[in-house]
Amino acid sequence: MRDYYEVLGVERNADADAIKRAYRRLALQYHPDRNSGSRDAEEKFKELTEAYEILKDSDKRAAYDRYGHAGVKGGAGAGFGGFSFADALDIFMRDFGGFGVEDLFGGGRQRRGPSARKGPDMRVTVPLTLEDVANGAKRTLRVDVMNACATCDGSGAAPGTSPVTCSTCGGAGEVRRVQRSFLGQLVSVMPCPDCGGEGQRIERACEQCSGRGVERATREIEVAVPPGVSTGDYITLRGQGNAGVRNGMRGDILVVLEVEEDARFVRDGADLIYELPITFSQAALGAELEVPTIGGSARLRIAPGTQSGRLLRMRGKGLPHLQGTNRGDLIIRVVVWTPTSLTPEQESLFRQLSQVEAPAERVEDGRDRGFWSRVKEALTGS
């Protein structure tokens, strides 16, 4: 993992304001919505947010300065692999939600509005086969989501009426309270209690949606799965989830991928491992056999004298690397199969073989070199 100070581009003696400024600048630069949903930008955004969460907190920062990543293990510092994009976005919105998101698109300051009423994100699991991993796949998802109410067009107000500006906050969505203490005058800002921070109030609610501006519906959504994915990978469908109340922004759909096990193979990254049983005669004499591959089969040559447990590699017959052009290998583990029952003919042949293996051979030093002695020498090298 990279050093948190290096991630944010600040000195180790940087103060809290410098850390916050550095994070905001870089988070805006790498925010996925500003980078066409780039996965690389999303990972960078998560890494920046993790570093910010540790260094802005004086206790966590002290532990990190003393012990490194081990000192903050179990919190955000457990590694941004387990630090979700949703967590990172929540932190960004928490500290910069009043003006950060609008800066992504060059807009002006807006304290409240649809972004503050963003619909909740959804999580959908999509099962895949190894063939899907090898070739990529397209899926049509049928999901139950909240859509804008068709009766009031999502406003929450009864047809023929419109929301009105909140008289309490004047449309700002927040109120300020001033308290006096021995420290002086304290000013606190909080969401308006009358409009819930929306800046508007509904005087007559829509009967269809009870003033929420949303209703349940079923949507069909297309998702394209790239080749090379693994269980636990996910695809973020931005703005295709639940609509927020009263014309709020749509949330996201996180499509979590789950690759089903294939009884033929064991997967190791982009490599596939296949166990091939062969007979005594095939191991001793050699053979050319057909082995399964993803979506077909291939011919494999077994050399004479092949030992049980030997690994043979068929290059490029595995799975594609995610976002890469190369493929992994198909690794064949040869296992010499011992029959559990024999036909009379097989038993007769094996008895003949045992007679051939049994006689000892005399050598110059006077030692007997029977079959099993030769096997032992071959294995030990003695």
Side-chain angles (χ1 to χ4, degrees):
M1 292 181 60
R2 292 176 60 199
D3 179 80
Y4 287 144
Y5 293 98
E6 178 186 339
V7 169
L8 292 178
V10 297
E11 301 292 335
R12 300 191 77 84
N13 60 355
D15 60 20
D17 287 339
I19 289 171
K20 190 169 185 177
R21 286 195 304 272
Y23 168 68
R24 180 180 180 275
R25 175 177 57 80
L26 291 170
L28 287 172
Q29 178 183 343
Y30 288 102
H31 195 290
D33 286 342
R34 203 178 195 181
N35 291 272
S36 302
S38 164
R39 186 67 179 268
D40 291 340
E42 184 172 306
E43 292 300 316
K44 181 69 174 178
F45 182 78
K46 290 193 294 183
E47 185 183 26
L48 289 165
T49 305
E50 177 183 318
Y52 169 67
E53 272 294 274
I54 295 300
L55 298 185
K56 78 177 184 63
D57 185 292
S58 58
D59 293 334
K60 292 179 182 177
R61 183 177 180 180
Y64 176 73
D65 287 343
R66 186 170 183 181
Y67 302 108
H69 292 291
V72 291
K73 196 172 184 180
F80 73 90
F83 191 82
S84 74
F85 173 71
D87 294 333
L89 188 60
D90 285 345
I91 291 168
F92 179 76
M93 292 296 295
R94 178 196 68 197
D95 289 3
F96 303 102
F99 48 89
V101 172
E102 289 74 21
D103 289 347
L104 295 173
F105 308 102
R109 179 177 175 124
Q110 180 181 345
R111 299 293 303 179
R112 301 287 169 181
S115 63
R117 303 191 299 271
K118 180 183 176 182
D121 293 338
M122 300 176 59
R123 183 186 179 99
V124 179
T125 299
V126 172
L128 301 170
T129 64
L130 278 185
E131 284 77 7
D132 294 328
V133 175
N135 305 312
K138 290 186 178 181
R139 291 288 188 272
T140 299
L141 308 180
R142 288 179 59 86
V143 293
D144 291 331
V145 299
M146 302 304 294
N147 272 354
C149 174
T151 302
C152 64
D153 291 329
S155 70
T161 69
S162 300
V164 298
T165 301
C166 176
S167 58
T168 302
C169 64
E174 61 186 25
V175 293
R176 297 173 179 266
R177 292 183 178 175
V178 179
Q179 295 178 313
R180 296 185 179 276
S181 71
F182 69 93
L183 296 175
Q185 187 171 276
L186 301 177
V187 179
S188 60
V189 180
M190 61 189 65
C192 175
D194 290 339
C195 66
E198 295 181 19
Q200 295 180 324
R201 297 176 60 184
I202 296 175
E203 295 184 328
R204 185 173 153 218
C206 170
E207 294 182 0
Q208 177 67 24
C209 63
S210 301
R212 290 182 53 78
V214 291
E215 58 184 355
R216 188 165 297 280
T218 300
R219 296 184 67 198
E220 288 193 352
I221 298 173
E222 299 288 335
V223 57
V225 180
V229 297
S230 303
T231 293
D233 288 345
Y234 65 91
I235 299 170
T236 304
L237 303 179
R238 303 198 184 282
Q240 298 196 51
N242 292 304
V245 297
R246 289 181 286 282
N247 285 323
M249 293 171 55
R250 281 192 177 274
D252 302 331
I253 298 179
L254 268 62
V255 180
V256 182
L257 307 177
E258 189 173 275
V259 181
E260 299 171 348
E261 291 188 3
D262 190 307
R264 300 170 297 172
F265 306 108
V266 174
R267 183 179 181 183
D268 182 14
D271 293 337
L272 294 175
I273 303 170
Y274 175 72
E275 192 169 274
L276 175 66
I278 63 174
T279 64
F280 291 138
S281 60
Q282 288 171 333
L285 302 175
E288 188 169 317
L289 303 174
E290 198 162 280
V291 295
T293 62
I294 293 297
S297 61
R299 300 292 292 179
L300 174 69
R301 182 179 177 275
I302 305 295
T306 295
Q307 301 298 312
S308 186
R310 183 176 178 183
L311 300 179
L312 305 175
R313 186 179 295 269
M314 302 184 75
R315 300 206 175 271
K317 295 294 186 181
L319 298 171
H321 293 275
L322 183 62
Q323 297 180 340
T325 57
N326 298 327
R327 296 179 73 97
D329 302 330
L330 176 60
I331 301 171
I332 311 297
R333 182 175 182 268
V334 177
V335 178
V336 178
W337 173 72
T338 303
T340 56
S341 61
L342 299 174
T343 67
E345 182 181 6
Q346 288 172 329
E347 184 175 353
S348 175
L349 291 172
F350 273 115
R351 289 192 184 281
Q352 293 179 45
L353 178 62
S354 68
Q355 293 300 317
V356 174
E357 295 169 346
E361 296 178 1
R362 302 294 299 177
V363 294
E364 293 181 1
D365 61 4
R367 291 184 302 160
D368 288 337
R369 292 187 66 236
F371 174 78
W372 294 113
S373 296
R374 298 197 303 273
V375 171
K376 182 179 179 181
E377 289 178 9
L379 292 176
T380 63
S382 61

